[in-house]
Amino acid sequence: MSLLVKNVRLVDPAQNLDGPGSLLVVEGVVAAIGADLEGDPLAAGADILDGGGAVLAPGFVDLHVHFREPGQTRKESIESGSRAAVAGGFTSVCAMANTKPVNDSVAITEMMLSRAEKAGLCRYFPIGTVSREMKGEELADMGTLKAAGCVAFSDDGMPIANSALMRRALEYTRWLEVPVVAHEEDRDLAGKGYMHEGAVSASLGCLGIPAAAEEAMVARDLVLAEHTGGHLHLAHLSTKGSLRMVREAKARGLNVTCEVTPHHFALSDRELMKFDSDYKMNPPLRTEADIQAVLEALADGTVDAIATDHAPHAWDDKEVELPIAAFGVIGLETALPLTLELLVNRKVISLARALALLSWKPAQVFHLDRQGLGSLRSGAPADLVLFDPEAKVQVDRAFIQSKSYNTPFKGWSLPGKVLGTWVGGKRVWG
Ligand SMILES: [Zn+2]
């Protein structure tokens, strides 16, 4: 029932902790952390794991995954998605509502929760829809959905075009104390675009999605958040202008948070010159200047979370011409390696800050910290990830646990091998 993990670099951003030590788990919770716990009476009879100097951190919290169940389990199921999560070091995932049918009812929420419990891998937090049937017309029964276990509300995949509906959603969720997660896209400006609109799309003769399609909606929703006091969480921000507006809004004290994805800080629209649909996602890959803006926003605290937007698609959704291929990429298994390679090793942010953006900060955004998640504090559920920040992983089919393989990082060799993942003290990976 007890586990002592010794000889590790303990990193817990919630406690400003980064140093050598050991951690003791008793009955599923963190019982103690310290330099040497082998003599501790609580550790008597515990299994001992020598971490060999690897990093032990709070399990990661992903605010944005698509697990495709119900409705499209050939792409992913709650079980296969959960396995991809724990393989990537994620112990909690928040699952978007655009399943088939969408998660706008207690019956769907309960079905999702029972499938996740049966899988027995990571913690699974459903996100309910903002609007009934995700039609963008009437509000869903958000109070009832929250009581059933939904931790946030979003029509992600679809923007909320109706400003009055968005205003009411922010007013109502303010009272419920949950965020509205906005997929910001003006569909008229986006048109039939399938990559970023700019010099590259012009040279390729491809239809583009302008930065303004995202920024116009970010601007509208910041106005609505200011007038309502509701908590606006902006999903997968991709442009310099969006991040500048969020920085200003935060400085003025608005109740706004935001996330960025690894693919948006790793890749630019120049990749589309390969005409490979693994580079097609929404929002699209942007320019080098936008990548720089994302890096600055990660460094200065404008960004609250790194989220994957894990969006599995079967090969036949992708192996078609670029204009008609599905939007989206998987991301759970590659998030830590990309973060280590592109943010930590290139000295954009420290390891502790990178881990905060993967665990403690996202846990706070969706109030999962109230359940003790995202930290290694004594008494917290023992949701842990043990990883070697230098050991290389090779992104190939065997490395990916997801049912789908639509990753733009095929063939990449990256640092950051997950050695073990624990949820509530139970080893679920490694
Ligand atoms: Zn989205």
Side-chain angles (χ1 to χ4, degrees):
M1 292 306 285
S2 321
L3 170 70
L4 176 65
V5 190
K6 65 170 198 180
N7 187 23
V8 289
R9 174 176 171 189
L10 278 172
V11 184
D12 185 18
Q15 303 182 82
N16 267 324
L17 188 78
D18 182 355
S22 22
L23 179 142
L24 177 66
V25 178
V26 178
E27 290 184 1
V29 302
V30 177
I33 57 177
D36 182 9
L37 299 170
E38 267 185 282
D40 193 298
L42 281 172
D47 289 337
I48 295 179
L49 176 75
D50 189 324
V55 174
L56 187 68
F60 306 143
V61 177
D62 195 344
L63 299 181
H64 195 149
V65 302
H66 298 271
F67 278 2
R68 309 300 189 200
E69 187 172 2
Q72 292 184 295
T73 50
R74 71 190 190 101
K75 298 183 179 192
E76 195 78 288
S77 64
I78 288 172
E79 204 223 352
S80 66
S82 299
R83 187 165 307 108
V86 297
F90 289 89
T91 52
S92 293
V93 297
C94 304
M96 282 299 175
N98 64 339
T99 47
K100 293 184 179 174
V102 300
N103 184 21
D104 66 351
S105 71
V106 169
I108 298 292
T109 299
E110 286 179 346
M111 182 277 249
M112 289 172 159
L113 287 169
S114 80
R115 294 275 161 93
E117 196 181 335
K118 195 165 152 231
L121 293 163
C122 62
R123 294 179 203 275
Y124 177 97
F125 296 98
I127 296 171
T129 63
V130 169
S131 68
R132 273 179 216 278
E133 297 178 55
M134 260 179 71
K135 283 185 172 168
E137 292 162 7
E138 302 167 77
L139 284 185
D141 285 327
M142 294 195 281
T144 317
L145 288 165
K146 186 195 171 190
C150 290
V151 294
F153 292 93
S154 184
D155 280 3
D156 180 63
M158 286 286 288
I160 295 174
N162 181 329
S163 307
L165 186 82
M166 189 58 161
R167 177 191 173 187
R168 283 201 301 280
L170 285 163
E171 283 169 347
Y172 196 52
T173 53
R174 180 189 179 189
W175 177 73
L176 289 175
E177 292 185 44
V178 288
V180 173
V181 182
H183 165 117
E184 300 297 35
E185 180 187 5
D186 181 313
R187 282 275 161 106
D188 296 309
L189 287 171
K192 292 189 164 59
Y194 48 89
M195 66 175 287
H196 173 68
E197 181 186 295
V200 181
S201 68
S203 76
L204 296 175
C206 290
L207 287 175
I209 301 170
E214 178 176 307
E215 292 164 6
M217 292 291 271
V218 169
R220 181 201 72 174
D221 289 344
L222 289 173
V223 169
L224 294 174
E226 179 156 23
H227 284 283
T228 59
H231 177 178
L232 174 68
H233 178 72
L234 298 161
H236 47 52
L237 290 183
S238 67
T239 80
K240 188 175 175 175
S242 296
L243 292 160
R244 188 191 66 235
M245 284 186 274
V246 172
R247 186 177 291 116
E248 289 169 358
K250 284 189 163 188
R252 288 192 297 116
L254 266 62
N255 193 2
V256 56
T257 52
C258 73
E259 71 195 28
V260 298
T261 71
H263 49 269
H264 285 117
F265 62 69
L267 304 167
S268 80
D269 61 343
R270 296 180 62 80
E271 305 289 348
L272 274 300
M273 286 153 58
K274 298 171 193 160
F275 283 98
D276 181 338
S277 64
D278 280 341
Y279 300 99
K280 179 178 174 183
M281 66 287 282
N282 191 11
L285 298 176
R286 303 289 186 181
T287 66
E288 287 296 334
D290 294 305
I291 293 177
Q292 282 310 312
V294 169
L295 298 179
E296 280 164 31
L298 281 160
D300 75 5
T302 300
V303 172
D304 298 275
I306 295 171
T308 66
D309 193 6
H310 179 83
H313 287 295
W315 68 272
D316 52 331
D317 300 309
K318 282 291 198 179
E319 291 290 314
V320 290
E321 302 87 85
L322 201 54
I324 58 169
F327 286 101
V329 296
I330 57 169
L332 285 163
E333 297 96 333
T334 48
L336 172 69
L338 289 165
T339 298
L340 292 172
E341 173 78 352
L342 301 171
L343 303 183
V344 180
N345 292 353
R346 295 195 187 167
K347 308 215 181 313
V348 176
I349 53 177
S350 67
L351 178 66
R353 177 150 181 81
L355 296 178
L357 287 159
L358 285 165
S359 59
W360 175 234
K361 290 175 69 75
Q364 290 175 292
V365 171
F366 281 10
H367 307 306
L368 306 179
D369 57 322
R370 293 176 187 171
Q371 303 175 37
L373 303 182
S375 88
L376 302 178
R377 288 195 177 124
S378 185
D383 288 10
L384 314 170
V385 57
L386 179 71
F387 67 91
D388 182 333
E390 276 150 34
K392 289 279 168 86
V393 297
Q394 186 74 27
V395 182
D396 57 18
R397 191 65 190 92
F399 174 71
I400 298 292
Q401 300 300 311
S402 171
K403 275 192 191 180
S404 296
Y405 190 40
N406 51 311
T407 170
F409 305 108
K410 290 183 176 96
W412 284 39
S413 175
L414 292 163
K417 185 175 167 55
V418 175
L419 305 172
T421 308
W422 290 259
V423 173
K426 178 184 149 198
R427 193 162 191 166
V428 288
W429 183 257

